[in-house]
Amino acid sequence: MAISFFSRQIFFFSYFFSTHQKGIAMSDLADSYVILWASQSGNAEWIAKNIDSEAKKRGYSGVCYGMDAYEKVALEKTRVLIAVVSNTGDGDPPDHAMKFWRFLRRNKQADYFKGCKIAILGLGDTNYTNFNNSARWLEKRLKALGANPFYEKGLADDAEGLETVVDPWIEKLWDVLPTVLKQNEVNAVVDKVETLTIKDDNPYSADQRSNELAPGVEKYLHLANSTIMAPNPYSADQRSAELAPGVEKYLHLPNSTVETPNPYSAEKRSTELAPGVEKYLNQPKSTVNGNAKKPTLHLGYPLKLDYGGLQPGVQLTGLPRLPAASVKLVKLDTKKEKTDLPSVDLVMTPTPVIHAPVTRVKCLTTEDAMKRTLHVELVPGEEFEFEPGDAFGVIAPNDEQLVEALLSILAPTFEEGYENLYDVEGDNLPTHLQKSKSVTLADLLRYGVDITTPPRKALLRLLAEYTSDTQEKNKLMYLCSKQGAAQFNSVREQMPSLIDILATFPSCKPPMERLLDALPGHMPRYYSITNSPLKYPGKIHFAFNVIDYTTAYNVPRKGVATPWLDRLTGYVSSRASGAGAEPVTVELPPAAALTVPMFKKVNASAFTLPTDTQRPLVLIGPGTGIAPFIGFLEHRQQQRRIRKSMGGVGVNPARDLAAEFGPIWVYYGFRERAKDFLFEQELKQFKEDKTITHLGLAVSREAGEGKTYVQDLIRQDAAELHDLIINKDAAIYVCGDAKGMAKGVNDALAEMLCEYEKIEPLAANKMLVEWMGSRKYLRDLWA
């Protein structure tokens, strides 16, 4: 829309006075900006691109790139730089940032960014000790190269909800940006933050009266000469939904024109077996397949929320802007063949995808253990090079029942959801959709987008736009407003999938294109390799807990990859009960043709064995955190055997062999010996052949014993560990839960330093951070 001369004059004078009052000359302002993002799960990319889109609407000029594409801009000439960066692992930079990080580390030119004004937004998680380490390091490094912040950095916390920091940080950005950047008043279209005033929902309004009778009116329906009409149970609307009372008895009369519902109809047969068929299911050689009994499609679990704050007259403020519309689904002339299997080709991966056969699987825990833990062997081939401590990604599809339920709403016909092929096109497409060519809507929901993570506020705002019921729309707006912050937190706590949101607001019918604009990308799941290539060349092992639980709201929830892997491998039997009982390994023959799409993850954290075999190691890993250390220990075991087989160790082989390999202290924790002592036989063997020097076991739920955790054992062994770590330069490795265990271990190490180095807690924690930087103290954590 053209801007009038009067509007342009107002813009010019307001802009002039705002910069003049701050003592800024127009000539001091930059002509354009550069936005760089680094994202592991897609959040930083989505935020950066929305900032870029909004900035252009406001009349600013600039570009937006992933940090790995930094060479596309002349950074040495950049005068305004905005960076949005997330973290991975324990404060490590995302994959997209590694190339840019190397460039910054190698750059020794102290004035390289001289004259550049910067603003940093970090996305982190306080469950990790190195909270927002990437954003802090980036700002520090850019300042060391001559840059100056024009706006205080924002450090968002995913544990509390990223929006709590991100939304106000972006809103204030528009206030400070004019102090460093020129605005083009001709192009500026500045939308104010949207507000909404809730109107009174009058049950006696025309809309309400057209749908239902007001309370208390029923008793007047049958009075003589009453003008109030009762709903007609024999109307077309009613008859289309149900039979009128008393009609059933006429259904089976000869020549009756009243039709009985057909239990053998396509609709009925798709959801249930016809009556009487069940008794034939288990007959010998029966051709009736019990597995063919398809469960009724579950269309989500409605959220339990309190809308007490949503009263008539309430003004909703702080509403997020609608996500920019960029995605276009271009329908192709061809259709998907029925024989074509779902493809993972649309998934972006940093290294090539390998379809690795599954050859072995076993369950490491008993049936009555708190968690079901599987150990799986894949054969990616000998060309797949790795070392203990490396990780790999698994591309698992979203649950097929979730996909089917969503398609029943978004694409009601089979042809529309499963057969029609589309290219995903559009300007500035998110990375996770850039390979989506010749795909079905089912493909996109399986592998393209995340449909299980709790929603962002922007998604709720988008859904409100396509909700026809006024009350439901107001509730959605309330949830993404400042006034509804407490209930938005309740949404996060309930961990809803997209289908749960749509079940809560059934009049919401969003178009697929707009959902693709707002949903985050479907992420691969990463697993540590738990074996040594010296012992199992061409094969990789990994262990994981199957995520399947019920929430405090009595709603079943499950993970994406682990239940899929459990189902793929045939739900193998649990380990037998009793201490010392070994799990049964199930061999899967090549004819089974079970494969897992996987790829190697670049190991940026250096969570691998030191090349110096004489260096002592302290390995701390409760639960499945022990898994990568099994690979470490296998590797050391094989190295010792290889060295011994070479001969020439000396007149005292045992002594000289020990001198070539440093001591290894292992701390492992579990709940009960008889139920979830993972890798019990392997650890005993490592101890017997002296691969392990000291094995500390922390048992937290054994009957008749107190709770013991790995951090308790570290405190008990503090004197010996101090000597090993300080005097003999042991490397410390921690793997497992970031929220509780990692903090407990960190505190125990800090206490050790306070006691034996005679320093204050602040100095002790500073020393631990320095050890992390020098790779003496390495952590592989998950929240």
Side-chain angles (χ1 to χ4, degrees), residues 298-362:
H298 197 287
L299 298 179
Y301 297 89
L303 295 170
K304 298 172 183 176
L305 299 169
D306 179 5
Y307 298 103
L310 189 62
Q311 299 296 328
V314 167
Q315 189 174 57
L316 302 182
T317 61
L319 294 167
R321 289 180 172 81
L322 284 168
S326 61
V327 173
K328 294 181 177 62
L329 284 172
V330 179
K331 187 178 175 182
L332 306 181
D333 293 333
T334 55
K335 292 186 182 296
K336 190 180 185 75
E337 297 293 333
K338 290 182 172 59
T339 55
D340 291 345
L341 296 174
S343 173
V344 300
D345 292 344
L346 73 164
V347 181
M348 299 284 283
T349 59
T351 55
V353 174
I354 299 169
H355 292 266
V358 185
T359 50
R360 291 182 181 180
V361 61
K362 56 186 173 183

Side-chain angles (χ1 to χ4, degrees), residues 666-732:
V666 177
Y667 292 95
Y668 169 47
F670 50 88
R671 296 172 67 86
E672 298 177 73
R673 290 178 184 275
K675 296 180 180 180
D676 55 8
F677 188 165
L678 311 182
F679 303 104
E680 180 177 3
Q681 299 305 319
E682 291 88 340
L683 289 169
K684 286 181 178 178
Q685 179 61 45
F686 293 138
K687 188 72 172 67
E688 288 173 5
D689 67 16
K690 295 182 171 54
T691 301
I692 290 177
T693 309
H694 172 83
L695 177 60
L697 299 178
V699 189
S700 63
R701 299 294 189 280
E702 199 73 62
E705 297 182 18
K707 294 181 180 180
T708 303
Y709 300 100
V710 288
Q711 52 265 41
D712 299 322
L713 300 182
I714 292 169
R715 290 186 176 95
Q716 291 176 17
D717 297 337
E720 295 90 340
L721 287 173
H722 174 259
D723 177 62
L724 200 65
I725 295 167
I726 297 295
N727 300 326
K728 298 176 182 175
D729 192 31
I732 310 164

Side-chain angles (χ1 to χ4, degrees), residues 71 161 163 178 214 326 346 433 439 446 460 472 482 511 517 585 609 656 687 707 733-734 748:
E71 292 170 318
E163 288 96 344
S326 61
L346 73 164
L433 293 176
V439 294
R446 287 187 189 113
L460 298 179
E472 291 179 12
K482 285 183 179 179
D517 283 322
T585 299
L609 282 167
D656 294 340
K687 188 72 172 67
K707 294 181 180 180
Y733 294 81
V734 181

Side-chain angles (χ1 to χ4, degrees), residues 561-572:
T562 58
W564 175 74
L565 288 165
D566 196 5
R567 185 169 64 253
L568 181 73
T569 53
Y571 300 112
V572 297

Side-chain angles (χ1 to χ4, degrees), residues 373-450:
T373 306
L374 297 185
H375 181 270
V376 177
E377 179 183 85
L378 303 178
V379 185
E382 295 194 14
E383 69 279 4
F384 183 87
E385 297 181 355
F386 70 94
E387 56 183 314
D390 280 344
F392 66 98
V394 168
I395 305 172
N398 282 312
D399 183 81
E400 193 64 23
Q401 284 192 331
L402 281 181
V403 171
E404 189 176 352
L406 284 171
L407 286 175
S408 72
I409 297 171
L410 304 172
T413 67
F414 184 87
E415 180 183 34
E416 193 177 352
Y418 293 91
E419 294 182 348
N420 291 343
L421 292 172
Y422 300 87
D423 281 350
V424 178
E425 298 181 357
D427 297 330
N428 209 19
L429 279 179
T431 303
H432 62 270
L433 293 176
Q434 290 175 5
K435 287 176 63 179
S436 297
K437 302 295 181 184
S438 192
V439 294
T440 65
L441 299 186
D443 290 333
L444 289 168
L445 291 176
R446 287 187 189 113
Y447 292 108
V449 291
D450 184 348

